[in-house]
Amino acid sequence: MLARTALMGVVAAVLLMAGVWASLDAMRLVTADRGSVRGTLTVEECDGWTCRGAFAPEDAAGGAPVEAALEAPVPHAAGEKVPVVLWPGADEVLRTGTAGVLRAWSPFAGALVLAAPVIAAGLGKRRTAWAAGLSGAALLGAAFVTL
């Protein structure tokens, strides 16, 4: 019994650490000012989960506008200007502000939802599992609404 509980505790911890790890790079980029190029993406077209358009940096030292892609589960209208930050060394951009922060934490929110049944069944901590699952679901819902 003790070995099963310890194993489930390890599984829950690994799930949660993987969620934080997956969220960390995007979170650093969205919140940090150093080493990132912030600007505006003018949406030209959206197909499926990707919107493409011209990225214009905020400051003139950032260079000329470049073609960039934004992963967006909710399509944006053509001509809409979205505040973004350019992913270093790529043509991919991420949302900034509240929407960007919530979107960056989406992998961790998913990990909370996935860990909830493990916490409930494996560890017998039903209240903790409900708190983890509902927190993860609320974070995912908030990220979707703000996008």
Side-chain angles (χ1 to χ4, degrees):
M1 181 68 174
L2 185 60
R4 179 178 160 239
T5 303
L7 178 64
M8 289 297 130
V10 169
V11 169
V14 167
L15 279 170
L16 295 174
M17 286 188 297
V20 169
W21 186 261
S23 298
L24 216 53
D25 284 341
M27 190 62 185
R28 282 187 199 148
L29 189 63
V30 168
T31 58
D33 282 337
R34 58 189 168 142
S36 61
V37 180
R38 294 182 179 277
T40 305
L41 178 76
T42 304
V43 176
E44 293 171 2
E45 66 174 342
C46 290
D47 57 344
W49 284 69
T50 306
C51 291
R52 298 194 177 282
F55 171 76
E58 284 179 352
D59 55 347
V66 295
E67 184 72 21
L70 171 67
E71 183 181 312
V74 178
H76 296 279
E80 185 176 349
K81 294 186 181 294
V82 181
V84 295
V85 61
L86 186 64
W87 195 267
D91 67 343
E92 187 179 344
V93 292
L94 299 172
R95 291 278 308 255
T96 56
T98 304
V101 170
L102 290 172
R103 176 71 172 94
W105 280 113
S106 291
F108 177 64
L112 281 170
V113 172
L114 287 174
V118 175
I119 294 169
L123 300 176
K125 306 279 187 182
R126 285 177 174 69
R127 288 183 185 167
T128 303
W130 274 105
L134 291 175
S135 298
L139 186 55
L140 286 171
F144 182 76
V145 167
T146 59
L147 290 178

